[in-house]
Amino acid sequence: MGEFFKAELKDRFLQYALERRDYFETQTLYDEFLRPNYNLRFVEKLIREIREYDPTLLDVMGGNGAEIFMLASTPKTHLFIEEGGFKDMHVREEEKWDVFFDQLSSNRKLSKNEKVLLKKNSSSHKKEKTLLVVLISAIAISFLYTLFGIIKGALLEPEYVPLDEFERKLEQVRLQHIQENERLAKELEKAQISIDSLLKEAQ
């Protein structure tokens, strides 16, 4: 299950709570939105994630041997949904990544002084500049390819995934994402050092 679908489910839970005038059981959300492909524990997991983000979005009562048993909306629920809810937060986060990818894939624009210096020393630094462009492009392509593989794997999974398997795969994706970010940060740092070195030599 993708993160966007999870965000959409959370918004649906909150919208459903707004439409009810009384408390209702978590079982109702399961019957309404997730039966039969997922289990009740997955509903409770999403409710916990909502509460971790903001505990005032839902009024939650335990009972019947469960920590989360009855739910109701709060005055803040309506305002949160009106502002776009979890889906809007997810979209904004994706847009930030898009900007980041654009910055990786586009060449840094040089100032007027830097252009003059490069023109004066173009014959001696042409090879180094070409290598830097290739390096930055390779980093960007590698990152995009990895991200595409992660997204493709998440979207093409079978509709039914056991909860423990889903959580395990989600943790794998998170760790891969962190490792890839660290690797790219090191590559970009090396590229920046090379660029700084070239600019110093040009001076």
Side-chain angles (χ1 to χ4, degrees):
M1 178 184 293
E3 290 300 314
F4 182 81
F5 183 57
K6 285 176 64 179
E8 184 177 12
L9 274 176
K10 292 174 188 177
D11 286 345
R12 286 187 181 184
F13 290 177
L14 295 175
Q15 186 63 48
Y16 183 83
L18 281 173
E19 293 168 1
R20 296 283 298 248
R21 295 174 178 259
D22 56 350
Y23 282 86
F24 58 93
E25 297 181 24
T26 52
Q27 180 73 38
T28 307
L29 292 175
Y30 171 69
D31 294 338
E32 188 76 19
F33 299 107
L34 289 172
R35 183 184 290 274
N37 296 320
Y38 294 90
N39 56 36
L40 186 60
R41 285 190 304 168
F42 187 65
V43 174
E44 293 169 352
K45 182 180 187 304
L46 292 179
I47 296 297
R48 277 193 288 271
E49 288 180 6
I50 291 172
R51 297 186 71 198
E52 285 171 6
Y53 174 75
D54 187 343
T56 64
L57 288 177
L58 284 173
D59 189 6
V60 177
M61 291 193 305
N64 200 27
E67 177 190 355
I68 301 172
F69 181 59
M70 300 289 282
L71 308 168
S73 63
T74 68
K76 197 167 180 181
T77 310
H78 176 74
L79 180 62
F80 181 74
I81 291 295
E82 283 293 309
E83 290 175 348
F86 287 101
K87 282 191 295 186
D88 191 57
M89 288 171 50
H90 180 78
V91 169
R92 288 199 303 267
E93 186 66 25
E94 289 295 310
E95 288 173 351
K96 288 180 184 176
W97 278 108
D98 290 340
V99 171
F100 177 68
F101 294 148
D102 288 341
Q103 290 173 347
L104 279 179
S105 60
S106 63
N107 293 329
R108 185 176 71 89
K109 292 184 178 179
L110 300 176
S111 68
K112 189 175 180 180
N113 291 335
E114 289 173 333
K115 287 179 181 178
V116 171
L117 288 171
L118 286 175
K119 282 180 182 178
K120 289 180 179 177
N121 300 283
S122 59
S123 59
S124 61
H125 298 297
K126 189 173 181 180
K127 184 178 179 181
E128 288 85 351
K129 284 167 59 180
T130 304
L131 288 173
L132 282 174
V133 170
V134 170
L135 174 62
I136 292 172
S137 299
I139 291 170
I141 291 169
S142 172
F143 190 86
L144 290 171
Y145 181 78
T146 302
L147 186 70
F148 174 75
I150 291 170
I151 293 172
K152 182 179 176 184
L155 292 178
L156 296 181
E157 287 180 351
E159 188 173 359
Y160 174 77
V161 180
L163 182 59
D164 57 344
E165 180 69 12
F166 170 77
E167 290 176 339
R168 186 181 66 78
K169 288 186 177 181
L170 194 62
E171 181 64 17
Q172 283 179 347
V173 169
R174 188 182 71 80
L175 290 174
Q176 287 174 1
H177 181 68
I178 291 172
Q179 290 171 354
E180 186 65 16
N181 277 350
E182 290 174 350
R183 187 181 71 79
L184 287 174
K186 290 177 182 176
E187 293 292 339
L188 285 174
E189 186 178 351
K190 289 178 184 177
Q192 186 61 51
I193 290 170
S194 298
I195 290 171
D196 291 343
S197 176
L198 284 175
L199 291 175
K200 286 179 181 177
E201 289 176 8
Q203 293 173 355

